Amino acid sequence: MLSFFLAHRYLAQAAQTKATASILTLSVTVLFIGSLALSLALSITQAFEEKVFERLQGINATALIYSYGQKIDPVSLSTFLKNKHPDALLGTTPQSAHSVIITKGDQQSVITLRGISPKTENAVTNLSEKIVAPKNTSNPLLDELLDKNNALIGHSLAQRMAINVGDTITFFVPDTSTTSKRIKLTEYAVKISGFFNIGLEEFDGASGFCSLHFFNEIFKITKGADSLLLAIARQPLNKPTTWLEKFTLLLKSNNPFGSNFQDTVVAHIKKELSHVTVASWKELYPALLSAMKLEKCAIIGIIILLTLVSLMNVISTLFTLVNRKQRDIALFQAIGMPNCIIRNIFIWMGIGMIGLSSFLGAAAGWIISFILETYKCVPLPEGYYIHYLPAATNPLIFISVPLITVALGFVIIVVSVRHVQKIDALDVLRHTA
């Protein structure tokens, strides 16, 4: 407590002196800006990642199970997973996909036709929310839109081929039952019951959806499906009861650096179903995820380097204060004060400056992040998956920034003030008497 009290008195005295006050203000301001930049970088990169993931995962399931070149039994797999992970699984739905040629008049296009189960699709994806036509349907039901030989196609594909809702177009489907070396196409008349707008060109411009029953009929499939899509909760469905479990869940769900609950469940399913392929939706976009991860690491790394430079400015200010207090240090040594207590005085001074500036910087970062996310005041140009610059108000981000800054500063300060014990008390007192 003695070293803390003396550190407080020294800082108060330095703040009242015009020469040292300007140095302290500059040091605190520079570190404040560094902490503000680090908190904003973590906030924006995490929010951007979450928003892009939410956009991509909306139409893609959290995970999918498939087997290369073989059909799987979606019913038995779904039953097994629901019994194995009752606290994580929100829903399952089968899906099959194959390429077909669609024609209208003299226009043709190759698309990926996906056969889905209209009754269970809503539990896994948000396809029904992305339907933009027919416009007079407020809450379109997939059961009605995908009845019999009806199909949904992307709005970009519809515009390109001048297809309207209610039009009947032709599907040319490869005949998989023939063993001939030539490709035989079977013609089917399909009625377009609606359009969807997902925001991803791979779906809007080259995909269609029909019922799994109609899909199996045109491709002559008797049983099974290509894949089983899984919807996994972001947090365990069984709510924690003890305060320790609640605190642990809070840390895991808000940790900007660790893996989330969904990734953990997918990893367990991969071990349990080793005979099939289990893939997270993130594995469908490896290039995008790698680019975002690299960008996040690069931005945070650069700002941490800038924060280290700011810390060096604080250390130089601390050196100035140490040199100004050499006579006091010599007096403390002369009366027998241990060197560790003398060092702690300047350690507390450095921690005080670093802690105050980093806390204020993180608080300012939270305020700016709240404004950015609430009012969406920074629009993004076309080409991004979202239309504004997002920012997360995750409390762990703004708690971790001061902790990281203080931890780095503490290590540097401890190393820097070791020269205090090398001060010769007799020499200093002799020349300053």
Side-chain angles (χ1 to χ4, degrees):
M1 292 300 297
L2 177 61
S3 57
F4 179 80
F5 172 76
L6 292 173
H8 180 266
R9 292 294 301 270
Y10 280 165
L11 281 177
Q13 182 182 6
Q16 295 174 359
T17 305
K18 186 175 181 180
T20 54
S22 59
I23 298 175
L24 285 174
T25 303
L26 179 63
S27 301
V28 171
T29 302
V30 172
L31 192 54
F32 167 82
I33 296 174
S35 300
L36 171 62
L38 182 57
S39 60
L40 280 179
L42 285 171
S43 172
I44 292 174
T45 52
Q46 185 191 14
F48 192 83
E49 188 176 89
E50 289 177 353
K51 296 295 183 182
V52 172
F53 285 3
E54 182 180 348
R55 181 74 174 271
L56 295 176
Q57 190 180 351
I59 192 61
N60 293 297
T62 311
L64 67 156
I65 302 172
Y66 60 96
S67 181
Y68 286 108
Q70 296 180 354
K71 300 294 181 181
I72 62 172
D73 184 1
V75 177
S76 60
L77 285 175
S78 179
T79 303
F80 170 80
L81 292 174
K82 287 179 180 179
N83 294 332
K84 198 72 174 180
H85 301 278
D87 63 332
L89 210 60
L90 294 174
T92 63
T93 185
Q95 186 177 108
S96 295
H98 206 290
S99 297
V100 299
I101 302 174
I102 66 172
T103 64
K104 183 189 178 185
D106 58 350
Q107 297 189 70
Q108 300 87 28
S109 182
V110 179
I111 68 168
T112 300
L113 182 63
R114 304 173 191 271
I116 63 174
S117 173
K119 294 182 179 180
T120 58
E121 184 72 19
N122 286 335
V124 180
T125 71
N126 63 353
L127 175 61
S128 61
E129 300 174 8
K130 301 299 181 179
I131 297 174
V132 294
K135 294 182 179 180
N136 57 350
T137 306
S138 57
N139 292 310
L141 297 176
L142 292 178
D143 282 356
E144 299 175 0
L145 294 177
L146 298 181
D147 186 30
K148 299 180 180 179
N149 65 330
N150 294 348
L152 299 170
I153 61 173
H155 77 108
S156 297
L157 177 63
Q159 291 177 356
R160 189 169 68 245
M161 299 187 65
I163 300 175
N164 299 314
V165 174
D167 289 351
T168 299
I169 64 175
T170 304
F171 276 16
F172 287 99
V173 179
D175 187 356
T176 56
S177 62
T178 179
T179 58
S180 174
K181 294 182 179 180
R182 294 183 179 182
I183 298 177
K184 182 181 178 181
L185 299 177
T186 305
E187 182 178 338
Y188 290 92
V190 178
K191 181 181 178 181
I192 301 302
S193 58
F195 306 143
F196 56 82
N197 183 6
I198 295 172
L200 302 173
E201 188 59 27
E202 62 182 283
F203 286 94
D204 297 339
S207 287
F209 290 91
C210 68
S211 67
L212 188 60
H213 175 76
F214 181 58
F215 183 93
N216 291 339
E217 180 183 333
I218 64 178
F219 283 101
K220 298 178 176 58
I221 298 173
T222 56
K223 61 179 181 178
D226 290 344
S227 59
L228 178 67
L229 278 59
L230 311 178
I232 301 174
R234 295 181 180 274
Q235 296 182 3
L237 299 178
N238 298 330
K239 299 298 182 181
T241 55
T242 65
W243 67 268
L244 181 59
E245 292 176 347
K246 294 180 180 179
F247 181 72
T248 304
L249 178 61
L250 177 66
L251 291 179
K252 288 182 178 180
S253 59
N254 292 290
N255 184 7
F257 305 103
S259 58
N260 55 33
F261 177 70
Q262 292 177 335
D263 295 334
T264 304
V265 174
V266 172
H268 288 165
I269 295 177
K270 286 183 178 181
K271 294 179 180 179
E272 296 163 357
L273 301 177
S274 57
H275 62 287
V276 293
T277 302
V278 181
S280 168
W281 72 270
K282 297 178 180 179
E283 297 178 30
L284 302 177
Y285 303 91
L288 175 63
L289 297 181
S290 299
M292 293 183 64
K293 184 177 181 180
L294 179 62
E295 181 182 16
K296 182 178 181 180
C297 294
I299 292 175
I300 294 175
I302 292 172
I303 295 179
I304 287 179
L305 290 177
L306 294 177
T307 305
L308 286 175
V309 174
S310 304
L311 288 173
M312 295 304 174
N313 194 17
V314 175
I315 300 304
S316 64
T317 303
L318 194 61
F319 270 118
T320 302
L321 295 176
V322 170
N323 291 330
R324 287 176 177 268
K325 299 299 180 181
Q326 282 195 7
R327 187 173 184 276
D328 292 356
I329 295 172
L331 287 174
F332 292 151
Q333 290 178 341
I335 63 176
M337 182 179 290
N339 287 327
C340 61
I341 296 180
I342 300 174
R343 288 198 308 270
N344 289 343
I345 296 173
F346 299 98
I347 291 176
W348 279 116
M349 291 175 65
I351 294 298
M353 290 187 290
I354 295 172
L356 175 64
S357 55
S358 60
F359 174 78
L360 293 177
W366 185 90
I367 294 173
I368 296 175
S369 298
F370 178 79
I371 294 173
L372 288 175
E373 183 62 28
T374 303
Y375 299 102
K376 301 175 176 57
C377 48
V378 181
L380 294 178
E382 294 293 335
Y384 289 90
Y385 288 101
I386 51 180
H387 305 296
Y388 70 97
L389 184 66
T393 54
N394 184 350
L396 283 185
I397 292 178
F398 305 99
I399 294 174
S400 62
V401 168
L403 292 179
I404 293 173
T405 308
V406 170
L408 291 174
F410 178 77
V411 174
I412 298 174
I413 291 171
V414 169
V415 175
S416 302
V417 300
R418 292 178 62 185
H419 75 286
V420 170
Q421 64 186 17
K422 298 180 181 179
I423 296 177
D424 190 346
L426 293 177
D427 184 64
V428 172
L429 293 175
R430 187 184 302 117
H431 290 89
T432 59

